[in-house]
Amino acid sequence: MTQCCFLRVHTLFFWFWSFHRMALALCPQVLCSLGGWLSLYISFCRLNKHRSYEWSCRLVTFTHGILSIGLSAYIGFIDGPWPFTHPGSPNTPLQVHVLCLTLGYFIFDLGCIWRFAWRKSIKKYHAWRSRCSEERQLKHNGHLKTH
């Protein structure tokens, strides 16, 4: 019984350690991807000075969409493995690089949402809350409650 528990703990520790090593190895790639998206955003901001910063963020989003579709189509149709005949097969290095590229964009996009959409979402929530409170104050016949 003790040996069985030891093997389970040892296997779990080995899995956690290998996952931790793999995550540490992928962090520089994700940070480089984030740096690439930020530099693309900065260059779009400099090229389009007459536009808002949100416009440049949307251009980066458009670029990411085109790049993701192209790379995913290349991986799925040309490089392989074909996902319908080999589901669950190990990831190729190209798939890992595309994953890191997309994760870097995801972090960039979270920053853009926090920067540009935060105030808009607060305004929408405030408008929704005020409308709900107005509806609670109304009677069924449309008159306001006096108390």
Side-chain angles (χ1 to χ4, degrees):
M1 179 74 179
T2 312
Q3 187 179 9
C4 181
C5 288
F6 176 73
L7 288 176
R8 286 183 188 163
V9 169
H10 180 65
T11 306
L12 183 65
F13 176 76
F14 179 73
W15 176 84
F16 179 74
W17 179 250
S18 64
F19 177 76
H20 186 66
R21 276 190 14 229
M22 180 184 65
L24 283 177
L26 295 179
C27 280
Q29 291 182 23
V30 173
L31 289 175
C32 286
S33 169
L34 177 62
W37 293 115
L38 283 172
S39 63
L40 184 64
Y41 171 72
I42 290 169
S43 35
F44 279 149
C45 285
R46 289 184 180 165
L47 287 174
N48 300 315
K49 290 181 182 180
H50 60 284
R51 301 277 188 179
S52 69
Y53 292 127
E54 189 176 359
W55 176 264
S56 300
C57 186
R58 290 181 184 197
L59 281 177
V60 172
T61 301
F62 177 74
T63 306
H64 170 260
I66 297 297
L67 191 64
S68 295
I69 289 170
L71 287 173
S72 297
Y74 176 76
I75 289 171
F77 295 121
I78 297 171
D79 191 45
W82 182 248
F84 298 116
T85 57
H86 297 90
S89 59
N91 290 334
T92 63
L94 181 59
Q95 288 173 333
V96 173
H97 291 309
V98 170
L99 174 73
C100 291
L101 183 77
T102 304
L103 186 57
Y105 170 75
F106 177 73
I107 296 169
F108 169 80
D109 194 40
L110 279 177
C112 285
I113 288 171
W114 184 76
R115 170 70 173 93
F116 297 116
W118 183 258
R119 285 176 270 157
K120 291 178 186 175
S121 61
I122 288 176
K123 287 179 185 177
K124 288 177 187 176
Y125 175 74
H126 177 70
W128 175 77
R129 272 312 274 169
S130 64
R131 180 161 175 108
C132 286
S133 64
E134 285 174 7
E135 288 175 357
R136 277 184 280 179
Q137 292 175 354
L138 291 176
K139 286 187 173 181
H140 291 291
N141 60 3
H143 298 290
L144 287 174
K145 291 182 180 178
T146 57
H147 49 86

